Amino acid sequence: MRGSGNFLRTSAALRCWAGVALRVCFIATLLFSLAASAQDETPPETTPADEAAKSPADAAVESATDTASEVQESSAETDEPSGQELENLASETEEPFEIEPIQSSDIEEILIQGQAGTGIPKAAPISVIGFDMDTLSKEGIKDIRDLTNFTPSLEIKSQFASSNPAIFIRGVGLDDFNANAASAVAIYQDGVYMQSAAIQLFGFFDQERVEVLRGPQGTFYRNASAGAILVKSRPPTEEFETYIATTYGRFNQLDVTGAASGPIVPDWLSGRISGYYNSRDGITKNRCAEIQGIKKPCRDSPLFLERKVEGHVNDIENYGLRAQLLLAPPTLDMEWLVNVHGGQNLGHAYQYQHHAIHLLLGSAGDLKAPEVQLPIFPPYRPGDITGYKDRDDDPFAGDYDLNGPEDLDIFGAILKYTWFFGDSYEIESITGYEWHDRDTLENSDGGPRFALVTQYLDDAWQLSEELNLRGEWIGSDLGDGGWSVGAFYLQEDLNVENIFEIVTGRDLNQSYEQTLNNFGTYIQGDYTIRPGCAPIGCDVKLDLGLRYNIEHKKFDISTCTWFQSRCSVADVTLAGIESETWNGWSGDFILSWFYDDQESNVYLKYSRGWKGGHFNGGATSRDDIITAVEPEIVDSYELGLRAHWFDGRLMTNVTGFYYDYQDLQVFKLEQTPTQGFPIAKLVNAQSATVFGVELDLSASPVEGMNITFNFAWVESEYDEFRTTLPFDFSMERPGGRGGFNRVTIRVPFDYSGNTLIASPEFSFTGSINYQIVLPGQIAGRGLGTLTPRYSFSWKDDVFFDAGSGTGAYLNFPVATFGQEAFWIHNAALSWRSENELIEITGWVHNFLDEFYKTNSEDVSIGLSYILNSWADPRMYGITVTISY
């Protein structure tokens, strides 16, 4: 078993390379500093500290406009700004880097209109749902997975307790839980791309904002063929501030989040320290821990006899820390931001709900008609391979003989350098280092008898560098614009060992190493023509972006199977080294017409998304071929309308989109019929089509009231998707000797015409809150404000596999592997003191206690059961926040 010592055992050559690269970045930073001080001896009147916290990733959704400010002013007399669409509308400004972000406390669609030098072109329409810290707190959103119930077109699930989110936007994503899998939705934390899914749930605390970018992001983001999620931490401040928020809720939930920020050397150096601790008792009852647990079925498992089992499982315990330093010398036009962070998960691995399946197999094979040999779903369930079945339908109770850990350690550091020079130029460098070590012992049979136990061990480090130069075109009375040129590099070194221990005694060990090198370079420009028409505006804006991607992977795998002992040389069933280099381009073309003074617009957008290739770690024998999965390519077409009504009190966004996918990467859980090992693999669907419409409304009908509504209709289909799966047949022995031999062959399956995974046809969310100023005073002080809040979410039927819920072998009833449509209702009531230093919020999430599945896995071939994952039941609690 490996621990954190694996980090120290990383090859000396790779560690040396990383050290050299970091030193080069540091030396480059010093050279930039000397050049800047030599060129600009006189500092500008203002040094935009907030801009130093931006990057081509996190600044993509910065918003500031006079139009949006009008909505803000509508609630100027209240303690909380009114809801609004966050926008940076294209406007002429003499200080392109001096735009103050507007904060919102609503969940809403925001039209992104980034300024020159923020990564997204000025006035570029981007479909985004945005969240601020206040909203995340009131809705009880603790990590990225919780966003799914507040964002149409977004589906997030995970088979792990605190890692590996599987993210889908508009029906496109990836639910592969292999350690070397990369999502089609790019996750950026403070401007750094997070390659490994093991680290994507950490860092979700003390946020300034979180945004979900819907649709391919072809220019500024890596592997964003479906979209991107940007998480930005609160930066250090020049004024002292501190807060602590404590939550106590159902199942002894205890969450503590806090931060302290302020100047260290006034006008030069500021810092911020933040952290969180989350814990919660198990929400699922383990019947094996009760007195009857010493009887059947629990006592039949050797694991139960060897280990003490807990009375409740699916608990939570993790923490994270972050320290930041911002150096902004007043005599220089540059800033350095250092971010060091880390955390641990101390909880246990996720426990599934067991559902036994009995399969009827034929006694002889007919290769001309293999479908007659496929298993059928009978009307009875005698039990799984061990004879066990869960005898009730309670999703929060089960029999578990093993509750293993999910130990996860992470560490990272970010160095961000920004240099402002000339009248409107900026160079930005973001260097990031991330490391993790994970050890998960999973009760993969979900039951009390030993059938399958899996241990996942992986550690990885990544080093990334992004360098960006931004500026503005020479403007005139007829128009202006900006440009950006950048380069990105990523290296990851990953080591994996998966151990499958099975009841048949024929265990499997998979070990592989993967080295990834990715390079991307991009160029972007925009220009707005302003003829000055009246009374209907005729400003036209063109945005062009192009990115070229090169990705190289080296994959070294070894597998072995053994009986009752560890692997020896004789047990090795596969050993091989493969490497591949992929390259391709992506980009964006946007044509916008601004038809009024508020810069409402109609736009037409074309994007190409590109996601690199992949190697599967699922090969188990010499008969298997280690094949590379081809890159995923999508051509996206969007038509949008952004409109403002009633002096900005009502904002409407309507977006229609159409996707044409080639070689869409799709996950499948392949089973080895003889041994029963579940092997996670990726395959290419030859082509797929996705189209739909999104409607987003944000309104402030009266002072203090904010209403949002977001709706999505998505139609998705695999146009052509054919693959093969292994299946056992009993073949008559040759030579007339009588009897039968068991033979495994690969059977073709056709998923063409089926709905894409995690793609509900209809979904919508909404919220309403109303801030009430309490009348009267006590000791000369006002009574503060009271804000009730209600939010809701509805999602249509959703499938968890490419067979439209009928399983990989298409042999189950429709929607067996899926979830029927469901509602989620949430409510909160907040009181905030007049000086805004104290806030108390009572909240309840899913107050109708809706039970709904988030995933299902088919392990029926060989082991005869299904694993279901369920979302949390009703949660409620109280949060107290004290600020200074």
Side-chain angles (χ1 to χ4, degrees):
M1 183 179 297
R2 298 177 302 175
S4 58
N6 288 323
F7 174 61
L8 301 177
R9 291 195 295 270
T10 305
S11 70
L14 292 175
R15 293 202 309 272
C16 179
W17 190 98
V20 170
L22 289 173
R23 289 179 175 86
V24 169
C25 293
F26 180 72
I27 293 172
T29 299
L30 292 179
L31 292 176
F32 282 138
S33 304
L34 294 174
S37 60
Q39 175 176 336
D40 297 323
E41 297 180 359
T42 303
E45 295 181 1
T46 58
T47 300
D50 289 340
E51 286 298 327
K54 300 176 186 176
S55 71
D58 59 31
V61 288
E62 192 67 39
S63 58
T65 89
D66 294 337
T67 300
S69 297
E70 292 177 6
V71 183
Q72 192 84 337
E73 292 169 1
S74 68
S75 60
E77 297 180 1
T78 66
D79 289 336
E80 184 174 340
S82 67
Q84 58 187 304
E85 182 182 45
L86 303 179
E87 301 185 54
N88 282 340
L89 296 177
S91 60
E92 299 182 28
T93 173
E94 296 179 358
E95 299 180 3
F97 304 116
E98 289 289 334
I99 296 182
E100 182 70 18
I102 295 175
Q103 299 298 323
S104 169
S105 61
D106 292 322
I107 303 174
E108 57 193 18
E109 175 73 5
I110 55 181
L111 171 61
I112 300 312
Q113 312 288 1
Q115 70 221 46
T118 61
I120 288 294
K122 186 185 295 184
I126 305 294
S127 180
V128 180
I129 296 290
F131 305 82
D132 72 350
M133 185 176 181
D134 187 61
T135 298
L136 297 171
S137 175
K138 287 182 172 58
E139 296 291 0
I141 299 174
K142 299 301 181 185
D143 62 43
I144 291 174
R145 290 172 295 190
D146 295 329
L147 297 176
T148 184
N149 288 328
F150 305 94
T151 310
S153 304
L154 176 67
E155 292 291 317
I156 304 178
K157 55 184 179 177
S158 176
Q159 299 182 89
F160 287 72
S162 64
S163 58
N164 279 52
I167 309 171
F168 295 79
I169 296 179
R170 292 176 176 172
V172 180
L174 189 65
D175 56 356
D176 188 354
F177 52 84
N178 272 320
N180 68 328
S183 174
V185 178
I187 306 296
Y188 277 79
Q189 173 72 49
D190 294 323
V192 174
Y193 174 77
M194 297 293 174
Q195 162 70 14
S196 173
I199 60 178
Q200 291 175 349
L201 295 181
F202 280 81
F204 206 86
F205 62 97
D206 192 36
Q207 311 94 338
E208 184 175 83
R209 62 182 185 268
V210 178
E211 289 95 9
V212 180
L213 281 66
R214 300 183 291 193
Q217 309 297 316
T219 303
F220 294 104
Y221 304 97
R222 176 181 183 268
N223 275 4
S225 55
I229 297 179
L230 314 179
V231 181
K232 185 181 185 302
S233 306
R234 287 188 171 186
T237 56
E238 295 182 357
E239 300 292 333
F240 179 78
E241 66 176 35
T242 183
Y243 76 90
I244 183 169
T246 303
T247 296
Y248 184 78
R250 190 182 184 191
F251 302 110
N252 286 322
Q253 176 184 349
L254 176 62
D255 299 338
V256 180
T257 303
S261 179
I264 299 174
V265 179
D267 299 327
W268 278 75
L269 181 66
S270 56
R272 187 178 190 91
I273 298 177
S274 56
Y276 79 94
Y277 173 79
N278 294 338
S279 68
R280 189 194 67 193
D281 293 344
I283 62 174
T284 301
K285 181 180 180 181
N286 184 7
R287 291 185 291 256
C288 277
E290 299 177 349
I291 297 178
Q292 60 265 33
I294 63 174
K295 303 177 181 178
K296 285 184 176 290
C298 301
R299 70 179 179 88
D300 291 340
S301 172
L303 300 177
F304 172 75
L305 298 176
E306 293 174 3
R307 296 174 172 88
K308 180 181 182 297
V309 297
E310 291 78 6
H312 285 81
V313 296
N314 291 334
D315 60 318
I316 292 176
E317 186 176 8
N318 52 63
Y319 71 87
L321 298 170
R322 182 187 302 120
Q324 300 180 80
L325 289 175
L326 176 62
L327 176 63
T331 57
L332 299 175
D333 299 330
M334 58 188 62
E335 297 175 349
W336 294 263
L337 179 64
V338 177
N339 178 328
V340 179
H341 50 272
Q344 280 189 315
N345 179 59
L346 306 174
H348 293 85
Y350 183 79
Q351 293 281 6
Y352 307 95
Q353 282 293 319
H354 181 281
H355 184 91
I357 296 297
H358 180 64
L359 303 176
L360 299 179
L361 305 178
S363 59
D366 183 356
L367 296 182
K368 295 181 180 180
E371 63 273 7
V372 301
Q373 298 299 322
L374 297 180
I376 63 173
F377 189 76
Y380 59 92
R381 293 185 291 140
D384 64 8
I385 191 173
T386 69
Y388 168 75
K389 67 176 180 179
D390 192 340
R391 298 182 179 276
D392 63 35
D393 295 321
D394 187 350
F396 300 106
D399 303 295
Y400 306 106
D401 60 345
L402 173 66
N403 192 27
E406 185 178 309
D407 292 334
L408 175 61
D409 301 312
I410 68 168
F411 171 80
I414 302 171
L415 172 62
K416 184 173 183 179
Y417 165 74
T418 310
W419 170 30
F420 308 94
F421 64 99
D423 294 330
S424 58
Y425 299 99
E426 176 183 343
I427 286 181
E428 181 181 74
S429 169
I430 303 178
T431 305
Y433 175 84
E434 302 292 334
W435 167 85
H436 83 268
D437 190 292
R438 179 172 53 177
D439 180 353
T440 301
L441 184 60
E442 181 185 85
N443 186 27
S444 302
D445 52 44
R449 297 174 179 170
F450 172 54
L452 175 64
V453 173
T454 308
Q455 186 171 18
Y456 300 102
L457 299 144
D458 57 89
D459 63 82
W461 63 264
Q462 72 169 55
L463 181 69
S464 63
E465 168 64 28
E466 183 153 7
L467 189 64
N468 188 272
L469 172 64
R470 300 185 281 260
E472 291 191 346
W473 305 113
I474 298 176
S476 67
D477 293 338
L478 293 180
D480 54 31
W483 53 268
S484 178
V485 178
F488 171 81
Y489 178 76
L490 170 70
Q491 177 174 347
E492 182 196 45
D493 186 79
L494 170 68
N495 299 281
V496 177
E497 182 177 6
N498 298 327
I499 302 172
F500 300 87
E501 298 184 12
I502 198 165
V503 67
T504 61
R506 186 75 173 175
D507 298 332
L508 171 69
N509 183 296
Q510 294 177 331
S511 298
Y512 61 86
E513 298 179 1
Q514 178 176 282
T515 301
L516 161 69
N517 298 95
N518 177 271
F519 175 76
T521 181
Y522 55 87
I523 183 171
Q524 173 273 329
D526 64 87
Y527 198 84
T528 303
I529 301 175
R530 309 179 188 278
C533 304
I536 298 177
C538 58
D539 293 359
V540 176
K541 184 169 183 291
L542 178 64
D543 298 277
L544 290 173
L546 186 66
R547 182 186 186 102
Y548 188 71
N549 309 278
I550 301 175
E551 184 158 307
H552 175 80
K553 288 183 179 179
K554 182 180 179 182
F555 189 73
D556 185 351
I557 187 172
S558 175
T559 67
C560 68
T561 58
W562 72 93
F563 285 102
Q564 310 301 327
S565 64
R566 292 297 176 182
C567 289
S568 65
V569 175
D571 297 317
V572 174
T573 58
L574 174 67
I577 300 177
E578 298 288 337
S579 64
E580 189 77 37
T581 300
W582 301 275
N583 58 79
W585 67 273
S586 57
D588 304 280
F589 168 87
I590 309 171
L591 182 63
S592 307
W593 167 41
F594 298 90
Y595 58 84
D596 67 10
D597 292 338
Q598 291 183 323
E599 302 205 34
S600 299
N601 66 83
V602 176
Y603 75 90
L604 178 65
K605 177 182 178 182
Y606 165 76
S607 296
R608 164 160 282 208
W610 188 89
K611 177 176 179 286
H614 175 79
F615 281 109
N616 277 310
T620 60
S621 71
R622 294 185 177 91
D623 297 329
D624 293 329
I625 301 175
I626 307 174
T627 57
V629 180
E630 293 302 314
E632 176 179 288
I633 299 174
V634 58
D635 292 304
S636 169
Y637 307 87
E638 283 192 15
L639 180 62
L641 168 66
R642 307 300 193 234
H644 303 70
W645 314 84
F646 310 111
D647 295 326
R649 289 185 175 272
L650 173 65
M651 304 178 200
T652 59
N653 300 335
V654 182
T655 304
F657 59 90
Y658 178 88
Y659 293 169
D660 181 11
Y661 268 93
Q662 301 298 319
D663 291 322
L664 177 66
Q665 295 176 3
V666 183
F667 169 81
K668 68 174 182 178
L669 190 66
E670 185 173 299
Q671 301 164 69
T672 55
T674 303
Q675 291 97 3
F677 304 126
I679 305 300
K681 287 187 176 183
L682 282 190
V683 294
N684 287 120
Q686 290 77 15
S687 61
T689 300
V690 183
F691 62 89
V693 174
E694 294 165 343
L695 170 65
D696 303 285
L697 304 175
S698 177
S700 181
V702 298
E703 186 173 311
M705 177 178 290
N706 306 299
I707 301 173
T708 67
F709 179 76
N710 309 97
F711 167 82
W713 165 57
V714 178
E715 290 284 347
S716 64
E717 181 177 294
Y718 298 110
D719 298 326
E720 183 180 358
F721 185 12
R722 297 181 177 88
T723 187
T724 62
L725 292 170
F727 193 76
D728 267 8
F729 288 85
S730 296
M731 305 295 295
E732 188 173 354
R733 293 176 180 173
R737 292 177 296 173
F740 296 88
N741 288 330
R742 194 173 186 178
V743 178
T744 300
I745 66 170
R746 299 195 69 87
V747 179
F749 285 86
D750 189 352
Y751 303 122
S752 302
N754 289 345
T755 301
L756 269 62
I757 299 172
S759 178
E761 184 176 5
F762 297 101
S763 58
F764 53 82
T765 66
S767 69
I768 179 172
N769 66 73
Y770 184 50
Q771 190 174 74
I772 305 167
V773 179
L774 298 177
Q777 292 185 337
I778 296 179
R781 292 181 176 271
L783 300 183
T785 59
L786 197 65
T787 305
R789 178 184 182 88
Y790 165 71
S791 63
F792 62 88
S793 169
W794 183 84
K795 298 210 171 182
D796 207 348
D797 299 348
V798 62
F799 302 126
F800 303 139
D801 64 10
S804 292
T806 62
Y809 289 84
L810 306 178
N811 58 314
F812 286 88
V814 174
T816 299
F817 302 95
Q819 171 59 48
E820 296 180 351
F822 63 93
W823 283 90
I824 295 294
H825 300 273
N826 313 288
L829 180 63
S830 300
W831 172 81
R832 182 178 293 177
S833 64
E834 183 184 32
N835 58 11
E836 300 187 1
L837 298 183
I838 301 175
E839 183 176 37
I840 302 174
T841 301
W843 53 269
V844 55
H845 178 222
N846 187 14
F847 62 72
L848 294 184
D849 208 16
E850 183 80 16
F851 293 172
Y852 59 98
K853 289 185 290 184
T854 60
N855 200 30
S856 295
E857 296 289 356
D858 181 6
V859 202
S860 58
I861 303 299
L863 297 179
S864 301
Y865 62 83
I866 294 173
L867 296 175
N868 292 321
S869 303
W870 292 81
D872 291 348
R874 179 193 298 120
M875 300 296 295
Y876 48 82
I878 186 170
T879 300
V880 179
T881 303
I882 301 175
S883 306
Y884 178 75

